[in-house]
Amino acid sequence: MTTTTRARSALVTGAGRGLGRDIAQMLADRGYRVMVTDIDAGTAAAAAAEIGGDATWAAVDVRDHSQVEAARDALLAQGGRLEVWVNNAGVLLTGPAWEQTEDQRRLLMEVNALGAINGTVAAIDAMRGHGPGGSGGHIITIASLAGISAVPGEAVYAASKHAVMGFSTSTAIDLRLAGVDDIAISCICPDGIWTPMIHDKLTDPQAALSFSGSLLQSGDVVRAVGRVLDSPRLVTAVPTWRGALARLGATFPRLAVAGLPLMAAQGRRTQRRLLATQESARR
């Protein structure tokens, strides 16, 4: 009697460009059959073609649970076993909450928080065995240091990432209480990353805190994802020292109120320096 080995499959949301695209490439390099999803069909298709191999794509609005499930089911129908799901899709809009429109606030909460919830639930449904080939897996969510501490200038964004962290860590415990020990949940909390999400924020003073540390490159976060793939960890801050600083601010809010304006000032200096570098390069 012969047995058929089902391909290891992975799905990455918001993977048409930037960090998500790089995570999808890393997973493909590790031998996973990858599905690239993005709200823009053309961007998703182009990324899958660049990754090559048996990478596939789907247009998915993560706010719509039915679209998320449809992408998952399409991946499973290809004969793979869903082993890795990466919640990466996200948006960043800056400014005080009272200066944002209702639609902007809703977009932040629904894409960042509801999108991660929809993805996690869809993945769990397959990994628990309700879908073809379900037998455990790993759900990785790209959160943010904004999910740990206060972020002036990005209050609603921070609220959405706090929601992601609360949901993910609580769900990890719920799985254990339900006797499910073969599904891991890992949250990656990076500092500001030089990706398309912040490329247009150099002149935005409300985004200053994202520039106040050592601005990360996409590869820094991809490597962190690779490490938790090898050894699951519920919360990983990138870099570690900024995570410790964020936790300190969350533990002592008065300290955060005093210190964060100074960090924002440092971020504005970095913005001006990067902007000057760009302008010099264009001459």
Side-chain angles (χ1 to χ4, degrees), residues 26-259:
M26 179 269 290
L27 289 167
D29 292 343
R30 284 188 172 220
Y32 289 92
R33 174 183 291 166
V34 177
M35 173 172 278
V36 172
T37 78
D38 197 276
I39 194 168
D40 181 78
T43 302
E50 291 170 0
I51 292 170
D54 52 10
T56 58
W57 64 273
V60 174
D61 183 340
V62 295
R63 296 171 292 180
D64 185 338
H65 189 61
S66 64
Q67 291 187 35
V68 175
E69 287 187 318
R72 176 204 64 195
D73 293 345
L75 179 61
L76 292 173
Q78 296 167 10
R81 180 171 70 83
L82 181 60
E83 281 196 8
V84 176
W85 184 291
V86 182
N87 293 309
N88 170 74
V91 294
L92 171 62
L93 300 173
T94 61
W98 63 85
E99 292 183 0
Q100 294 176 331
T101 66
E102 179 183 356
D103 286 344
Q104 289 175 320
R105 296 192 299 268
R106 187 179 298 277
L107 179 68
L108 282 164
M109 296 303 298
E110 290 187 351
V111 173
N112 296 345
L114 184 60
I117 292 171
N118 286 340
T120 299
V121 170
I124 289 172
D125 283 346
M127 292 173 179
R128 288 191 70 186
H130 299 311
S135 59
H138 196 166
I139 300 165
I140 300 172
T141 297
I142 307 301
S144 170
L145 289 181
I148 298 175
S149 186
V151 186
E154 300 175 8
V156 180
Y157 176 78
S160 71
K161 293 301 186 177
H162 273 69
V164 167
M165 294 297 292
F167 166 77
S168 298
T169 55
S170 299
T171 300
I173 297 169
D174 282 340
L175 285 169
R176 299 302 171 264
L177 292 175
V180 179
D181 58 7
D182 59 355
I183 298 177
I185 290 181
S186 296
C187 297
I188 306 293
C189 298
D191 203 350
I193 316 168
W194 188 243
T195 63
M197 183 179 282
I198 66 169
H199 283 174
D200 63 347
K201 303 296 185 185
L202 289 179
T203 58
D204 182 0
Q206 301 293 344
L209 210 66
S210 294
F211 295 86
S212 63
S214 300
L215 200 61
L216 299 173
Q217 298 299 314
S218 178
D220 298 321
V221 185
V222 172
R223 285 188 287 275
V225 172
R227 288 194 293 271
V228 299
L229 272 176
D230 296 331
S231 181
R233 183 177 180 183
L234 188 53
V235 180
T236 298
V238 185
T240 303
W241 72 270
R242 288 279 280 187
L245 209 58
R247 292 186 183 96
L248 184 64
T251 304
F252 303 101
R254 288 186 180 181
L255 187 62
V257 170

